[in-house]
Amino acid sequence: MDKMIIEGGEKLKGTVEISGAKNAALPILVSSLLCEGRSTFHNVPELMDIKTVVKLIRGFGAEVKGAKSIRVDADRLDNVEASYDLVKTMRASVLVLGPLVARMGRARVSLPGGCAIGARPVNLHLKALEEMGAEVTLQDGYIEAKASRLRGATIYFDIQTVTGTENIMMAACLAKGTTVLKNAAKEPEIVNLAEVLKAMGARITGAGTETITIEGVDRMTGAEGTVMPDRIEAGTYMIGAAITGGDVNVLGCDPLYVDALITKLIDAGITVETIPRGVRVCGGNGIRSIDIKTMPYPGFPTDLQAQMMVLLAVGNGLGVVTETVFENRFMHVAELIRMGADIIVQGGCAIVKGVPALKGAPVMATDLRASACLVLAGLVAEGKTELSRIYHLDRGYQRMEEKFSALGARIRRVPA
Ligand code: UD1
């Protein structure tokens, strides 16, 4: 298993181009299962999670070709089972449930287990499918769902769920009648997916708001779609520039998508300006401690909480990080403390007292965003940081070490 070796202390300088968003590409690739004919998707990031979803789709009998532009021909599907082996490596595999039941009348998908950031149930996905007439049972660790044809329904989500909204929005496309999703998640990735579904013949209004209306159609046909830029990847490089006192142009991501982060960086005394195709982030005038609270979009994203904690860890003063989306998303704290950070966790809050400097150390990644946090900590720390279990990073960041190296960081991947 590879390791990342980081020698901290370099100010990041230059330009970084943001790749396509993992969290948009996954549901978009899955949406091809709803369609007769061929779909082509552009700007797909090259990531482990994309390889996993491609395997999953191939397993149902679809033909899949290409990398950055991926062609899927799902004309003939001959299997409706997503095995434990695939689902356990990527929880988002549950996204195939809705489309398979809608198109094939049946699906058998391994129930995702817990993960490093909490229990993460899928009860709301299942309840919504039942409300649309599916018979849902749990057997031998698998979710089995059946419906000769799903029917439109009004679904109220108790909690805003991103993949839950996407799963049911896809299922509703081929249902009989109209489905209304209330308290739907509003993430831009959902809007991106809805645009692709509409190009395939779906009738959807309201994506990006709390109420999404889908009028079912009898069939959908393959179409072209483009994956939006990865706002979490963009945010990670923006925070990198801020904490190292650097000057980085982050290109290819609409600043609107990282609005909450921009506001917080400015509050912390970082200079952020809009430039053509992106933002320029300059640090160097000290970091004021700030408080952050994670919320569903357009609030501060939980997927940037760990990375932002590094900024607070080297800021001046005391900041509070409140995590409201996942119950156990502070796994990175213990590792940051090993690097000299001063952090106390109390329930859903982390109290971070800035220290003059972090110190390099051997650390271990526990999940995707925690890994990104530890890379950032390594970049700003004095001395050498050795990050192991970096397969988490490869799930969600395209060639991270190359992008950071091009900005002047001393970071390299070595076989362990
Ligand atoms: C998605 C993102 C993930 C991000 C998260 C929150 C993808 C592939 N992943 O994950 O990167 O961190 O949104 O922005 O897009 N919940 C339930 N029951 C359910 C579903 C969710 O209780 O049936 C709870 C979850 O435990 C969590 C909250 O709802 O506390 C939000 O989770 P959700 O939006 O569903 O996260 P994911 O879609 O899994």
Side-chain angles (χ1 to χ4, degrees):
M1 239 183 281
D2 293 355
K3 273 188 184 176
M4 209 73 98
I5 310 284
I6 308 156
E7 317 262 357
E10 301 297 328
K11 292 182 193 310
L12 299 184
K13 286 212 158 64
T15 296
V16 61
E17 192 73 38
I18 297 309
S19 302
K22 169 179 88 71
N23 285 355
L26 294 176
I28 286 175
L29 283 161
V30 166
S31 71
S32 63
L33 297 172
L34 291 162
C35 297
E36 294 162 21
R38 181 193 291 167
S39 299
T40 307
F41 306 120
H42 306 289
N43 201 32
V44 180
E46 289 165 42
L47 303 170
M48 275 317 290
D49 273 11
I50 298 299
K51 290 197 174 130
T52 306
V53 80
V54 164
K55 253 193 224 167
L56 201 61
I57 294 172
R58 280 204 180 114
F60 302 133
E63 271 179 34
V64 188
K65 289 198 181 118
K68 195 171 176 192
S69 281
I70 295 192
R71 253 179 20 219
V72 185
D73 189 333
D75 228 17
R76 279 179 298 275
L77 301 182
D78 54 18
N79 176 34
V80 291
E81 179 167 317
S83 72
Y84 177 63
D85 281 350
L86 286 177
V87 178
K88 75 169 187 234
T89 61
M90 190 185 70
R91 295 180 45 84
S93 306
V94 74
L95 280 168
V96 302
L97 188 64
L100 283 179
V101 182
R103 169 107 184 268
M104 309 290 286
R106 211 180 136 239
R108 188 165 188 270
V109 177
S110 173
L111 186 64
C115 71
I117 61 172
R120 295 183 84 173
V122 291
N123 57 316
L124 301 175
H125 304 227
L126 305 188
K127 179 169 173 273
L129 282 176
E130 280 177 337
E131 285 166 353
M132 295 175 76
E135 186 193 315
V136 180
T137 50
L138 292 180
Q139 226 167 16
D140 308 326
Y142 279 74
I143 305 161
E144 297 210 5
K146 281 187 210 152
S148 54
R149 181 154 187 204
L150 293 171
R151 52 171 193 271
T154 296
I155 313 279
Y156 172 79
F157 287 106
D158 286 344
I159 303 175
Q160 288 188 355
T161 157
V162 177
T163 47
T165 301
E166 292 165 346
N167 214 343
I168 304 309
M169 183 167 78
M170 288 193 278
C173 288
L174 287 178
K176 189 168 175 51
T178 302
T179 300
V180 182
L181 306 183
K182 296 196 167 173
N183 199 28
K186 300 186 290 242
E187 270 64 7
E189 290 76 13
I190 293 170
V191 180
N192 194 188
L193 171 64
E195 292 306 322
V196 173
L197 291 169
K198 285 197 268 186
M200 293 166 164
R203 297 207 191 120
I204 303 174
T205 53
T209 74
E210 276 175 26
T211 306
I212 305 178
T213 305
I214 306 115
E215 268 179 65
V217 295
D218 291 336
R219 54 191 290 269
M220 289 164 71
T221 45
E224 289 206 31
T226 300
V227 175
M228 65 175 284
D230 196 313
R231 60 196 170 95
I232 305 302
E233 188 196 21
T236 303
Y237 288 101
M238 290 167 67
I239 296 170
I243 56 174
T244 60
D247 182 352
V248 175
N249 294 332
V250 179
L251 299 187
C253 181
D254 189 334
L256 258 185
Y257 298 138
V258 279
D259 224 12
L261 173 64
I262 291 177
T263 308
K264 286 293 170 185
L265 289 177
I266 291 172
D267 286 353
I270 309 298
T271 307
V272 185
E273 57 179 283
T274 302
I275 55 172
R277 298 194 55 239
V279 288
R280 175 178 176 202
V281 181
C282 308
N285 299 321
I287 296 169
R288 277 195 301 271
S289 274
I290 46 164
D291 297 335
I292 60 166
K293 184 173 187 175
T294 65
M295 303 279 270
Y297 190 83
F300 191 91
T302 172
D303 283 353
L304 283 175
Q305 179 258 106
Q307 299 90 314
M308 198 63 168
M309 199 179 283
V310 182
L311 182 128
L312 270 62
V314 295
N316 294 307
L318 201 74
V320 177
V321 176
T322 308
E323 172 59 58
T324 73
V325 180
F326 291 112
E327 76 270 24
N328 187 24
R329 207 170 199 181
F330 286 135
M331 305 291 280
H332 45 285
V333 169
E335 300 298 288
L336 287 177
I337 290 174
R338 298 187 57 252
M339 296 178 74
D342 185 347
I343 306 172
I344 297 170
V345 174
Q346 276 180 354
C349 293
I351 300 155
V352 188
K353 192 168 162 203
V355 294
L358 295 177
K359 306 268 191 304
V363 285
M364 198 152 69
T366 47
D367 69 66
L368 171 55
R369 306 307 171 185
S371 315
C373 145
L374 295 172
V375 169
L376 292 177
L379 292 176
V380 74
E382 290 170 354
K384 187 164 99 177
T385 295
E386 260 188 53
L387 174 64
S388 47
R389 295 205 185 161
I390 59 167
Y391 54 86
H392 291 293
L393 275 179
D394 296 330
R395 288 190 44 212
Y397 286 89
Q398 184 169 322
R399 291 191 279 276
M400 185 191 239
E401 71 278 19
E402 287 175 29
K403 290 192 183 184
F404 272 127
S405 295
L407 294 174
R410 285 188 292 161
I411 176 170
R412 61 184 203 281
R413 179 187 288 256
V414 294

